[in-house]
């Protein structure tokens, strides 16, 4: 068995120790005689897994007591519809800051349920930066302000938390959740698909301030009604049990790594290996504004398509996979989530140097 | 490692060979250097897994070419809202046949989107039977007729397919999908959570006749719009990739068992072991009408609560777990899905005989 260095944007690399434990426990979890996949979600075995996952996550996030942890289904795209349904209440409008592909989708979907205002956009800059806060035209009567904290495709990330006054801030953190400490109290709601920094796709984490519960539109399906799910500890319906179990193992791994501050330091070190090289090597172009560069997704381009193809081929031969940029952007994208070891990033940086020297 | 005989109603027992393969492939799927959990859903590795799962499922079901296979999220409870959103179109009403806990939930949820008519109910019989077809008061102008083919809690199952004329028949097959051959062409839409007969919770199978696509209400989230998902091969958003992989392994296992006709024969044999014993032993009571007994979930009661507790305790000591009946029904429930080996059912029958002889 050889493990590749897997730079996929998501579903993405997981800690090897987590996968080993999952493999070891596949047929018999802790002497129960069952795989976690086979357990009733209401049995004491799975209930203990769920409780542990919640406790570890709350500890990692230093979660204030007035926030609920929900493990739901539907992914980020599903949440684009589910969140307006849950948070609109008797308000008429939603504010969205458009920073790229993901925020654009959220904006479009919100329009099904409300007047959705694009209060700022970096589209004129081809989504290579975050619009400064003082350019946002916020509506003080909006139900909430939606941001995407890290644009997976564009490689643009907020390195500051916007002040939205008394209007709740909602953040799609699908691709940078748990990659750095966050002050949850600055947000009304945080959501994230699991498949970048937490576990398998099919689980969606929602952290919601409890005063925002109970505003769901009558058309909200029960399974996606945050209050109902909060009242039932995410068990109004069968939750994605195996994905929660894997996420729980990842939370334990994160604690062993030293928590989110340690992860951020580690992630900064990894990202610097690539950005320093990009800045020092004219052969490569990094399209993103320096202040807004993502620590998770590092897109860059080569001078020609032929060179890009050759780069990808050579990377694969060296055991580095899933480096192709998103079709809407092209070039290369190195996703270097929590579970990407620094050795993988170093291997990529070494190869980039070598490739530029040879072809530059 | 000792594997229990796991009678959970869901999430439920999976074939041991499937779990072994999943464990073996956990760190490196087919030399890719990645776990299936870590693969981009748009990469060639996962695309091949998805294509194989669909092909095997279509073969197992003998699926007509005008039906689409969708692998979505949300579970059966989620579908109770999502299906009305997708199928109501310009109709005003939905017909629901109420046969127990699950059909009742579907009925209640449908009322959020339409006039939902309870066209027949077995509530007066405490949900121990299926109301005969000639008692159903169908509306010829309803968007569809909803049935639950197997009530997991009550242990009641349709052993016939209702004729609903030109009104599409929608069936919740969460707990009996793939347990017997079905004539898909008799249904407009079939849906099923994965966690009984297919794989881990968090994946929901939808089989939909293509003329029913394109009717979604404007409030339908993109991620749950059947037409959009059909047009994108269930990849409009990141699908629950690992759950699809496990389901694919289960489909291959089913083919090796001889397909659905062989599974039905096997399941009938297993169920007969229990029902014959229940009928022959006055100590136990089987509440369900003989003609409507489920081959998947076998509920029964003992004379007293003390005996029920003692029975469960003794079962556990013999390696038979998750036999407690649903809280709304009480007693015992033996769920004997596809992956429950006949040895497990025989062990339960032997224990039931022994227990009745000792306590009867």
């Amino acid at each position: 068995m050889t493990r590749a260095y897997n730079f996929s944007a998501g579903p993405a690399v997981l800690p090897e120790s987590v996968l080993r434990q999952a493999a070891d426990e596949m047929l018999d979890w802790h002497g129960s005689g069952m795989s976690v996949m086979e357990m009733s979600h209401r049995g004491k075995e799975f209930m203990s897994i769920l409780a542990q996952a919640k406790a570890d996550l709350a500890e990692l996030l230093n979660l204030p007591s007035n926030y609920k942890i929900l493990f739901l289904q539907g992914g980020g795209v599903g949440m684009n519809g589910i969140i307006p349904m849950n948070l609109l209440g008797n308000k008429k409008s939603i504010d969205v800051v458009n920073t790229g592909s993901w925020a654009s989708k959220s904006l479009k979907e919100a329009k099904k349920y409300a007047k959705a205002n694009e209060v700022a956009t970096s589209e004129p800059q081809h989504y290579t930066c975050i619009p400064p806060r003082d350019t946002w035209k916020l509506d003080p009567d909006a139900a909430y302000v939606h941001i995407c904290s890290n644009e997976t495709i564009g490689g643009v990330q907020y390195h500051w938390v916007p002040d939205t006054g008394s209007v709740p801030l909602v953040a799609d953190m699908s691709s940078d959740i748990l990659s750095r400490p966050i002050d949850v109290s600055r947000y009304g709601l945080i959501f994230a698909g699991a498949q970048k920094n937490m576990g398998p796709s099919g689980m969606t984490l929602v952290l919601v301030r409890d005063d925002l519960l109970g505003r769901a539109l009558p058309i909200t399906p029960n399974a996606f009604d945050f209050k109902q799910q909060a009242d039932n500890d995410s068990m109004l319906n069968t939750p994605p049990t195996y994905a929660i179990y894997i996420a729980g193992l990842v939370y334990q791994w994160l604690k062993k790594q030293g928590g989110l501050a340690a992860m951020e330091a580690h992630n900064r070190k990894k990202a610097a290996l690539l950005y320093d090289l990009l800045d020092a090597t004219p052969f490569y172009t990094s399209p993103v504004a320096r202040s807004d560069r993502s620590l998770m997704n590092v897109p860059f381009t080569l001078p020609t398509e032929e060179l890009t193809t050759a780069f990808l081929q050579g990377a694969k031969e060296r055991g580095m996979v899933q480096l192709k940029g998103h079709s809407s952007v092209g070039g290369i994208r190195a996703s270097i989530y929590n579970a990407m070891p620094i050795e993988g990033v170093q291997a990529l940086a070494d190869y980039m140097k070598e490739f530029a020297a040879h072809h530059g």
Side-chain angles (χ1 to χ4, degrees), chain A residues 204-348:
Chain A
T204 317
L205 173 68
V206 173
L207 305 169
V208 56
R209 212 175 62 209
D210 56 14
D211 66 292
L212 297 177
L213 297 171
R215 303 179 178 193
L217 301 180
I219 55 164
T220 311
N222 282 352
F224 302 115
D225 181 314
F226 295 157
K227 177 157 177 27
Q228 291 199 48
Q229 287 287 13
D231 290 348
N232 286 279
D233 200 13
S234 304
M235 304 272 256
L236 182 88
N237 58 342
T238 313
T241 53
Y242 197 74
I244 292 171
Y245 156 71
I246 297 289
L249 296 182
V250 170
Y251 302 155
Q252 285 170 21
W253 175 82
L254 285 168
K255 284 172 66 178
K256 271 189 217 133
Q257 307 305 304
L260 301 191
M263 280 325 298
E264 178 173 11
H266 191 63
N267 287 328
R268 284 194 178 280
K269 217 162 140 183
K270 288 189 296 179
L273 280 176
L274 298 183
Y275 287 120
D276 289 351
L277 176 67
L278 290 171
D279 290 342
T281 317
F283 181 75
Y284 299 109
T285 306
S286 163
V288 178
R290 289 192 185 204
S291 60
D292 303 329
R293 282 171 166 175
S294 170
L295 301 179
M296 297 284 102
N297 312 96
V298 183
F300 58 91
T301 55
L302 282 72
T304 67
E305 283 223 19
E306 288 68 33
L307 284 166
T308 306
T309 305
F311 181 94
L312 289 167
Q313 183 58 34
K316 201 172 174 194
E317 285 159 11
R318 286 159 179 80
M320 293 178 279
V321 300
Q322 310 220 41
L323 275 161
K324 197 175 175 184
H326 190 271
S327 54
S328 65
V329 176
I332 306 293
R333 174 174 48 169
S335 295
I336 51 174
Y337 299 117
N338 282 344
M340 169 58 69
I342 194 154
E343 293 77 12
V345 184
Q346 189 61 60
L348 175 60

Side-chain angles (χ1 to χ4, degrees), chain A residues 50 53-54 57 69-72 203-205 234 239-240 244 251:
Chain A
L50 177 69
K54 284 178 63 176
L57 180 62
I69 297 173
L70 306 178
F71 294 118
L72 303 180
M203 183 193 107
T204 317
L205 173 68
S234 304
I244 292 171
Y251 302 155

Side-chain angles (χ1 to χ4, degrees), chain A residues 4-278:
Chain A
Y5 286 128
N6 173 7
F7 293 91
S8 172
V13 60
L14 288 167
E16 191 170 313
S17 62
V18 164
L19 296 173
R20 283 192 192 284
Q21 187 172 345
D24 287 348
E25 296 179 343
M26 182 62 87
L27 279 93
D28 181 13
W29 182 84
H30 295 201
S32 66
M34 295 180 280
S35 175
V36 174
M37 281 183 212
E38 303 177 298
M39 291 176 182
S40 166
H41 53 301
R42 301 195 192 279
K44 69 176 185 341
E45 294 88 355
F46 182 73
M47 293 295 278
S48 75
I49 290 171
L50 177 69
Q52 189 64 49
K54 284 178 63 176
D56 288 336
L57 180 62
E59 183 184 331
L60 284 166
L61 289 167
N62 197 16
L63 193 77
S65 60
N66 60 328
Y67 284 76
K68 299 288 187 191
I69 297 173
L70 306 178
F71 294 118
L72 303 180
Q73 300 180 49
V77 174
M79 285 301 140
N80 283 338
I82 293 163
I83 288 170
M85 286 188 197
N86 273 277
L87 297 191
L88 191 62
N90 55 11
K91 300 285 189 180
K92 300 276 178 261
S93 73
I94 294 164
D95 283 352
V96 179
V97 182
N98 187 359
T99 48
S101 174
W102 288 103
S104 294
K105 280 189 194 185
S106 300
L107 173 67
K108 204 172 158 194
E109 187 86 343
K111 288 181 179 173
K112 289 182 180 170
Y113 310 95
K115 183 166 177 294
N117 304 310
E118 187 182 61
V119 295
T121 179
S122 56
E123 196 186 0
Q125 292 81 33
H126 305 287
Y127 298 127
T128 55
C129 61
I130 306 286
R133 172 66 188 85
D134 58 12
T135 66
W136 300 9
K137 297 192 175 68
L138 295 181
D139 173 1
D141 203 40
Y144 60 88
V145 180
H146 176 108
I147 64 167
C148 176
S149 62
N150 184 69
E151 289 279 358
T152 323
I153 292 175
V156 170
Q157 186 176 28
Y158 283 81
H159 295 289
W160 46 283
V161 183
D163 183 354
T164 54
S166 63
V167 179
L169 180 62
V170 169
D172 176 356
M173 293 196 186
S174 291
S175 52
D176 66 357
I177 187 92
L178 303 178
S179 69
R180 54 184 180 180
I182 48 171
D183 180 355
V184 175
S185 73
R186 303 283 301 277
Y187 302 85
L189 185 146
I190 291 167
F191 70 101
Q195 66 267 23
K196 323 282 190 184
N197 268 325
M198 284 191 286
S201 59
M203 183 193 107
T204 317
L205 173 68
V206 173
L207 305 169
V208 56
R209 212 175 62 209
D210 56 14
D211 66 292
L212 297 177
L213 297 171
R215 303 179 178 193
L217 301 180
I219 55 164
T220 311
N222 282 352
F224 302 115
D225 181 314
F226 295 157
K227 177 157 177 27
Q228 291 199 48
Q229 287 287 13
D231 290 348
N232 286 279
D233 200 13
S234 304
M235 304 272 256
L236 182 88
N237 58 342
T238 313
T241 53
Y242 197 74
I244 292 171
Y245 156 71
I246 297 289
L249 296 182
V250 170
Y251 302 155
Q252 285 170 21
W253 175 82
L254 285 168
K255 284 172 66 178
K256 271 189 217 133
Q257 307 305 304
L260 301 191
M263 280 325 298
E264 178 173 11
H266 191 63
N267 287 328
R268 284 194 178 280
K269 217 162 140 183
K270 288 189 296 179
L273 280 176
L274 298 183
Y275 287 120
D276 289 351
L277 176 67
L278 290 171

